[in-house]
Amino acid sequence: MPKDHRAQPAPAHPFPEAPKPGEVLEVAPGLLWLRFKLPFALNHVNVYLIEDGAGWAAVDTGIGDDLTREVWESLFAGPLKGRPLTRLILTHHHPDHMGSAGWLSEKFGIPVHMTETEYFMGRYLGTGHDAVHGDAHRIFYQNHGMTESGAAAVTGRGHMYLEMITGLPSSFHALEPREPFEIGGRTFQVHTGGGHSWNQAMLHCEDETFFIAADQVLGRITPNISVHSVQPDGDPLGRYLDSLASLRAAIPDGTLTLPGHDLPITHLHQRIGELIAHHDERCDIVLNACRDKVLSCAEITPILFTRQMDEHMFSFAFSETLAHVNRLLREGRLVDVGEPDGPRFRSA
Ligand SMILES: [Zn+2]
Protein backbone atom coordinates (compact mmCIF):
# COMPACT_ATOMS: atom_id res chain seq x y z
CA MET A 1 0.00 0.00 0.00
CA PRO A 2 1.58 3.31 -1.02
CA LYS A 3 2.44 5.89 1.59
CA ASP A 4 4.67 8.91 1.83
CA HIS A 5 7.90 8.25 3.62
CA ARG A 6 10.74 10.69 3.52
CA ALA A 7 13.39 10.53 6.18
CA GLN A 8 15.42 13.28 4.50
CA PRO A 9 14.46 15.82 1.88
CA ALA A 10 14.94 14.22 -1.52
CA PRO A 11 17.36 15.96 -3.87
CA ALA A 12 15.74 17.73 -6.81
CA HIS A 13 14.27 15.43 -9.41
CA PRO A 14 16.30 15.34 -12.62
CA PHE A 15 13.04 15.41 -14.61
CA PRO A 16 10.47 17.20 -12.43
CA GLU A 17 7.65 17.11 -15.01
CA ALA A 18 6.27 13.79 -16.19
CA PRO A 19 5.21 13.46 -19.84
CA LYS A 20 1.45 13.55 -20.34
CA PRO A 21 -0.22 10.43 -21.76
CA GLY A 22 0.41 10.56 -25.52
CA GLU A 23 3.66 12.53 -25.14
CA VAL A 24 7.23 11.27 -24.98
CA LEU A 25 10.13 12.70 -23.00
CA GLU A 26 13.68 11.83 -24.05
CA VAL A 27 15.60 11.25 -20.80
CA ALA A 28 18.79 10.15 -22.60
CA PRO A 29 19.59 9.78 -26.31
CA GLY A 30 17.37 7.01 -27.63
CA LEU A 31 15.63 6.50 -24.27
CA LEU A 32 12.04 7.73 -24.01
CA TRP A 33 9.80 8.05 -20.95
CA LEU A 34 6.05 7.56 -21.49
CA ARG A 35 3.11 7.68 -19.12
CA PHE A 36 -0.21 5.86 -19.12
CA LYS A 37 -3.22 6.38 -16.92
CA LEU A 38 -4.43 3.77 -14.44
CA PRO A 39 -7.95 3.49 -13.03
CA PHE A 40 -6.68 3.19 -9.43
CA ALA A 41 -5.63 5.41 -6.53
CA LEU A 42 -2.13 5.05 -8.00
CA ASN A 43 -3.28 6.72 -11.20
CA HIS A 44 -0.40 6.26 -13.63
CA VAL A 45 2.39 3.92 -14.71
CA ASN A 46 5.68 4.69 -16.47
CA VAL A 47 6.79 2.94 -19.64
CA TYR A 48 10.25 3.33 -21.20
CA LEU A 49 11.23 2.90 -24.84
CA ILE A 50 14.80 2.03 -25.76
CA GLU A 51 15.93 2.63 -29.34
CA ASP A 52 16.39 -0.76 -30.99
CA GLY A 53 17.48 -0.57 -34.63
CA ALA A 54 14.59 0.70 -36.71
CA GLY A 55 12.16 0.71 -33.80
CA TRP A 56 11.80 0.68 -30.05
CA ALA A 57 12.04 -1.96 -27.36
CA ALA A 58 9.33 -1.23 -24.79
CA VAL A 59 9.88 -1.78 -21.08
CA ASP A 60 6.34 -2.50 -19.84
CA THR A 61 3.09 -1.66 -21.61
CA GLY A 62 0.51 -0.11 -19.28
CA ILE A 63 -2.71 -1.83 -18.30
CA GLY A 64 -4.83 -3.74 -20.85
CA ASP A 65 -7.71 -1.28 -21.28
CA ASP A 66 -9.17 0.79 -24.15
CA LEU A 67 -7.66 4.04 -22.95
CA THR A 68 -4.13 2.58 -22.93
CA ARG A 69 -4.66 1.19 -26.42
CA GLU A 70 -5.84 4.61 -27.67
CA VAL A 71 -2.80 6.31 -26.18
CA TRP A 72 -0.45 3.76 -27.79
CA GLU A 73 -2.16 4.28 -31.17
CA SER A 74 -1.77 8.05 -30.89
CA LEU A 75 1.91 7.57 -29.96
CA PHE A 76 2.53 5.39 -33.03
CA ALA A 77 0.75 7.88 -35.28
CA GLY A 78 2.43 10.91 -33.67
CA PRO A 79 5.62 11.19 -31.61
CA LEU A 80 6.97 7.73 -32.55
CA LYS A 81 6.63 8.63 -36.23
CA GLY A 82 5.50 5.21 -37.35
CA ARG A 83 8.55 3.40 -35.96
CA PRO A 84 7.38 0.02 -34.64
CA LEU A 85 7.97 -1.74 -31.38
CA THR A 86 10.62 -4.43 -31.75
CA ARG A 87 10.12 -6.38 -28.51
CA LEU A 88 8.53 -6.15 -25.09
CA ILE A 89 10.53 -6.33 -21.88
CA LEU A 90 8.06 -6.94 -19.09
CA THR A 91 9.34 -6.21 -15.60
CA HIS A 92 6.68 -8.22 -13.76
CA HIS A 93 3.26 -9.76 -14.20
CA HIS A 94 1.19 -7.04 -12.51
CA PRO A 95 -1.50 -5.79 -14.89
CA ASP A 96 -0.44 -2.14 -14.84
CA HIS A 97 2.94 -3.24 -16.22
CA MET A 98 2.06 -5.98 -18.70
CA GLY A 99 -1.67 -5.60 -19.29
CA SER A 100 -1.34 -4.54 -22.93
CA ALA A 101 1.42 -7.07 -23.73
CA GLY A 102 -0.78 -9.58 -25.56
CA TRP A 103 -2.25 -6.90 -27.79
CA LEU A 104 1.11 -5.22 -28.56
CA SER A 105 3.00 -8.45 -29.19
CA GLU A 106 0.31 -9.54 -31.63
CA LYS A 107 0.05 -6.15 -33.31
CA PHE A 108 3.78 -6.06 -34.12
CA GLY A 109 4.50 -9.81 -34.12
CA ILE A 110 7.18 -9.26 -31.48
CA PRO A 111 8.57 -11.39 -28.65
CA VAL A 112 8.39 -10.80 -24.93
CA HIS A 113 11.28 -10.97 -22.48
CA MET A 114 10.51 -11.72 -18.84
CA THR A 115 11.97 -13.61 -15.93
CA GLU A 116 10.73 -17.19 -15.89
CA THR A 117 8.75 -16.77 -12.68
CA GLU A 118 6.97 -13.64 -13.87
CA TYR A 119 6.10 -15.20 -17.22
CA PHE A 120 4.66 -18.35 -15.71
CA MET A 121 2.80 -16.40 -13.03
CA GLY A 122 1.27 -14.17 -15.69
CA ARG A 123 0.31 -17.17 -17.82
CA TYR A 124 -1.09 -18.97 -14.81
CA LEU A 125 -3.26 -16.10 -13.64
CA GLY A 126 -4.28 -15.50 -17.25
CA THR A 127 -5.83 -18.96 -17.50
CA GLY A 128 -8.52 -17.93 -15.02
CA HIS A 129 -7.77 -21.09 -13.02
CA ASP A 130 -6.70 -18.91 -10.18
CA ALA A 131 -6.17 -21.05 -7.11
CA VAL A 132 -6.93 -18.18 -4.74
CA HIS A 133 -10.68 -18.74 -5.09
CA GLY A 134 -10.80 -22.11 -3.34
CA ASP A 135 -12.16 -22.76 0.13
CA ALA A 136 -8.68 -23.42 1.51
CA HIS A 137 -7.70 -19.86 0.67
CA ARG A 138 -10.81 -18.33 2.22
CA ILE A 139 -10.22 -20.38 5.37
CA PHE A 140 -6.60 -19.20 5.51
CA TYR A 141 -7.73 -15.56 5.74
CA GLN A 142 -10.49 -16.34 8.22
CA ASN A 143 -8.07 -18.27 10.43
CA HIS A 144 -5.96 -15.13 10.50
CA GLY A 145 -8.96 -13.33 12.01
CA MET A 146 -10.50 -11.81 8.92
CA THR A 147 -14.31 -11.63 8.64
CA GLU A 148 -16.08 -13.86 6.15
CA SER A 149 -16.86 -10.96 3.83
CA GLY A 150 -13.31 -9.62 4.23
CA ALA A 151 -11.92 -13.00 3.18
CA ALA A 152 -14.27 -13.00 0.20
CA ALA A 153 -12.92 -9.57 -0.82
CA VAL A 154 -9.33 -10.90 -0.98
CA THR A 155 -10.15 -14.14 -2.74
CA GLY A 156 -12.22 -12.22 -5.33
CA ARG A 157 -9.22 -10.20 -6.50
CA GLY A 158 -8.12 -12.74 -9.10
CA HIS A 159 -11.20 -12.07 -11.23
CA MET A 160 -10.12 -8.48 -11.65
CA TYR A 161 -6.76 -9.56 -13.06
CA LEU A 162 -8.35 -11.11 -16.14
CA GLU A 163 -10.17 -7.87 -16.91
CA MET A 164 -6.95 -5.87 -16.92
CA ILE A 165 -4.75 -7.98 -19.20
CA THR A 166 -4.63 -8.93 -22.88
CA GLY A 167 -2.64 -12.13 -22.30
CA LEU A 168 0.90 -13.22 -23.05
CA PRO A 169 2.27 -15.02 -26.11
CA SER A 170 2.71 -18.79 -25.84
CA SER A 171 6.51 -18.54 -25.78
CA PHE A 172 8.98 -16.06 -24.31
CA HIS A 173 12.65 -15.22 -23.80
CA ALA A 174 13.97 -15.49 -20.27
CA LEU A 175 15.70 -12.52 -18.69
CA GLU A 176 18.71 -13.83 -16.77
CA PRO A 177 20.95 -11.84 -14.44
CA ARG A 178 23.99 -13.81 -15.53
CA GLU A 179 23.67 -12.86 -19.20
CA PRO A 180 24.29 -9.36 -20.56
CA PHE A 181 21.27 -8.13 -22.46
CA GLU A 182 21.76 -6.15 -25.68
CA ILE A 183 19.28 -3.61 -26.94
CA GLY A 184 20.12 -1.48 -29.97
CA GLY A 185 23.86 -1.49 -29.33
CA ARG A 186 23.52 -0.85 -25.60
CA THR A 187 24.49 -3.48 -23.07
CA PHE A 188 22.37 -3.92 -19.98
CA GLN A 189 22.93 -5.88 -16.83
CA VAL A 190 19.70 -7.61 -15.80
CA HIS A 191 18.90 -7.49 -12.08
CA THR A 192 16.10 -9.51 -10.56
CA GLY A 193 14.50 -9.29 -7.16
CA GLY A 194 11.57 -10.59 -5.14
CA GLY A 195 9.33 -8.97 -2.58
CA HIS A 196 7.01 -6.75 -4.57
CA SER A 197 6.46 -9.45 -7.15
CA TRP A 198 7.91 -12.95 -7.41
CA ASN A 199 11.03 -12.11 -9.38
CA GLN A 200 10.92 -8.68 -10.92
CA ALA A 201 13.35 -7.70 -13.68
CA MET A 202 15.33 -4.45 -13.73
CA LEU A 203 17.82 -3.16 -16.30
CA HIS A 204 21.07 -1.36 -15.55
CA CYS A 205 23.01 0.41 -18.27
CA GLU A 206 26.35 0.90 -16.59
CA ASP A 207 27.99 2.77 -19.48
CA GLU A 208 25.35 5.48 -19.47
CA THR A 209 24.55 5.30 -15.74
CA PHE A 210 20.83 4.74 -15.89
CA PHE A 211 18.80 2.08 -14.15
CA ILE A 212 15.26 0.99 -15.02
CA ALA A 213 14.06 0.04 -11.55
CA ALA A 214 10.49 -1.17 -12.24
CA ASP A 215 8.57 -1.19 -8.93
CA GLN A 216 11.51 -2.29 -6.77
CA VAL A 217 12.64 1.23 -5.89
CA LEU A 218 10.09 4.04 -6.17
CA GLY A 219 10.84 7.65 -5.30
CA ARG A 220 7.78 8.63 -3.26
CA ILE A 221 5.74 5.55 -2.43
CA THR A 222 6.82 2.30 -0.87
CA PRO A 223 6.25 -0.72 -3.12
CA ASN A 224 3.54 -3.08 -1.93
CA ILE A 225 5.09 -6.10 -0.18
CA SER A 226 2.43 -8.72 0.57
CA VAL A 227 1.94 -12.31 1.64
CA HIS A 228 -0.78 -14.13 -0.29
CA SER A 229 -2.59 -17.33 0.55
CA VAL A 230 -0.83 -19.22 -2.25
CA GLN A 231 2.32 -19.12 -0.08
CA PRO A 232 1.05 -18.60 3.48
CA ASP A 233 4.45 -18.69 5.19
CA GLY A 234 6.27 -16.79 2.45
CA ASP A 235 8.79 -14.11 3.37
CA PRO A 236 8.49 -11.47 0.65
CA LEU A 237 9.75 -8.75 3.00
CA GLY A 238 12.96 -10.70 3.62
CA ARG A 239 13.40 -11.17 -0.11
CA TYR A 240 12.70 -7.51 -0.72
CA LEU A 241 15.24 -6.33 1.86
CA ASP A 242 17.84 -8.71 0.38
CA SER A 243 17.13 -7.29 -3.06
CA LEU A 244 17.49 -3.69 -1.86
CA ALA A 245 20.85 -4.53 -0.27
CA SER A 246 22.13 -6.14 -3.44
CA LEU A 247 20.94 -3.24 -5.59
CA ARG A 248 22.71 -0.81 -3.28
CA ALA A 249 25.90 -2.84 -3.65
CA ALA A 250 25.61 -3.18 -7.44
CA ILE A 251 24.32 0.18 -8.68
CA PRO A 252 26.31 3.33 -8.01
CA ASP A 253 24.60 6.16 -6.15
CA GLY A 254 23.71 9.04 -8.43
CA THR A 255 22.59 6.67 -11.20
CA LEU A 256 19.55 8.02 -13.02
CA THR A 257 16.87 5.69 -11.65
CA LEU A 258 13.76 5.30 -13.79
CA PRO A 259 10.93 3.80 -11.73
CA GLY A 260 7.62 2.19 -12.68
CA HIS A 261 5.68 4.99 -10.98
CA ASP A 262 6.36 8.60 -10.05
CA LEU A 263 9.39 10.64 -11.08
CA PRO A 264 12.94 9.54 -11.87
CA ILE A 265 15.44 9.99 -9.04
CA THR A 266 19.20 10.06 -8.65
CA HIS A 267 19.42 9.64 -4.85
CA LEU A 268 19.16 5.87 -5.21
CA HIS A 269 21.16 4.91 -2.12
CA GLN A 270 19.38 7.40 0.13
CA ARG A 271 16.05 6.11 -1.13
CA ILE A 272 17.04 2.47 -0.53
CA GLY A 273 18.04 3.46 3.01
CA GLU A 274 14.64 5.11 3.53
CA LEU A 275 12.79 2.03 2.27
CA ILE A 276 14.74 -0.24 4.63
CA ALA A 277 14.14 2.16 7.56
CA HIS A 278 10.44 2.30 6.70
CA HIS A 279 10.06 -1.47 7.00
CA ASP A 280 12.11 -1.51 10.22
CA GLU A 281 9.68 1.01 11.70
CA ARG A 282 6.69 -1.02 10.53
CA CYS A 283 8.15 -4.16 12.14
CA ASP A 284 8.61 -2.23 15.41
CA ILE A 285 4.95 -1.19 15.37
CA VAL A 286 3.91 -4.85 15.00
CA LEU A 287 6.22 -5.92 17.83
CA ASN A 288 4.93 -3.19 20.15
CA ALA A 289 1.32 -4.10 19.40
CA CYS A 290 2.03 -7.72 20.34
CA ARG A 291 4.11 -6.87 23.43
CA ASP A 292 1.36 -7.33 26.04
CA LYS A 293 -1.32 -8.93 23.90
CA VAL A 294 -1.85 -11.93 21.71
CA LEU A 295 -3.26 -10.71 18.39
CA SER A 296 -4.35 -12.11 15.06
CA CYS A 297 -2.99 -10.63 11.86
CA ALA A 298 -6.41 -9.07 11.22
CA GLU A 299 -6.18 -7.37 14.64
CA ILE A 300 -2.67 -6.08 13.95
CA THR A 301 -3.69 -4.66 10.56
CA PRO A 302 -5.60 -1.55 11.80
CA ILE A 303 -2.76 -0.81 14.24
CA LEU A 304 -0.32 -0.72 11.32
CA PHE A 305 -2.75 1.02 8.94
CA THR A 306 -4.63 3.57 10.99
CA ARG A 307 -6.67 5.27 8.27
CA GLN A 308 -10.30 4.47 7.54
CA MET A 309 -10.42 1.44 5.20
CA ASP A 310 -13.17 -0.32 3.30
CA GLU A 311 -13.03 -4.11 2.99
CA HIS A 312 -11.02 -3.96 -0.19
CA MET A 313 -8.42 -1.60 1.27
CA PHE A 314 -8.35 -3.69 4.44
CA SER A 315 -7.54 -6.82 2.46
CA PHE A 316 -4.49 -5.12 0.90
CA ALA A 317 -3.41 -3.80 4.30
CA PHE A 318 -3.83 -7.27 5.80
CA SER A 319 -1.56 -8.86 3.17
CA GLU A 320 1.11 -6.23 3.83
CA THR A 321 0.79 -6.70 7.58
CA LEU A 322 1.30 -10.43 7.18
CA ALA A 323 4.52 -9.75 5.27
CA HIS A 324 5.87 -7.99 8.37
CA VAL A 325 4.51 -10.71 10.67
CA ASN A 326 6.18 -13.47 8.64
CA ARG A 327 9.52 -11.60 8.59
CA LEU A 328 9.37 -11.18 12.38
CA LEU A 329 8.50 -14.87 12.84
CA ARG A 330 11.56 -15.78 10.73
CA GLU A 331 13.73 -13.54 12.87
CA GLY A 332 12.34 -15.10 16.06
CA ARG A 333 11.13 -11.71 17.29
CA LEU A 334 7.47 -12.75 17.07
CA VAL A 335 5.97 -16.13 17.97
CA ASP A 336 2.80 -17.88 16.91
CA VAL A 337 1.18 -19.04 20.16
CA GLY A 338 -0.87 -21.58 18.18
CA GLU A 339 -4.47 -20.94 19.20
CA PRO A 340 -7.06 -23.46 17.93
CA ASP A 341 -8.79 -20.76 15.81
CA GLY A 342 -5.63 -20.06 13.84
CA PRO A 343 -2.30 -18.24 14.10
CA ARG A 344 -2.13 -15.69 16.96
CA PHE A 345 0.99 -13.69 17.67
CA ARG A 346 2.92 -12.19 20.56
CA SER A 347 6.36 -10.64 20.79
CA ALA A 348 9.13 -13.04 21.73
ZN1 LIG B 1 3.89 -3.98 -9.40
Side-chain angles (χ1 to χ4, degrees), residues 1-4 157 196 221-226 278-279 282 301 305 307 309 312-320:
M1 190 166 292
K3 59 198 78 68
D4 286 316
R157 272 188 215 157
H196 172 67
I221 57 183
T222 55
N224 180 310
I225 310 294
S226 291
H278 164 82
H279 288 292
R282 308 293 279 166
T301 300
F305 295 89
R307 67 178 165 281
M309 292 181 284
H312 192 69
M313 294 296 288
F314 185 88
S315 72
F316 279 98
F318 170 90
S319 303
E320 288 203 61

Side-chain angles (χ1 to χ4, degrees), residues 92 94 97 196 215:
H92 60 303
H94 292 170
H97 294 264
H196 172 67
D215 283 357

Side-chain angles (χ1 to χ4, degrees), residues 91-97 196-197 200 214-216 223-224 261:
T91 59
H92 60 303
H93 76 281
H94 292 170
D96 47 337
H97 294 264
H196 172 67
S197 191
Q200 197 168 198
D215 283 357
Q216 204 73 342
N224 180 310
H261 305 276

Side-chain angles (χ1 to χ4, degrees), residues 47-89:
V47 166
Y48 300 96
L49 298 186
I50 302 165
E51 196 158 40
D52 189 21
W56 302 94
V59 181
D60 290 338
T61 69
I63 204 165
D65 66 0
D66 290 344
L67 181 60
T68 299
R69 187 185 293 233
E70 281 165 30
V71 169
W72 271 117
E73 295 287 13
S74 76
L75 283 160
F76 296 131
L80 299 179
K81 303 186 183 75
R83 288 173 73 182
L85 297 189
T86 54
R87 44 188 157 158
L88 302 177
I89 296 143

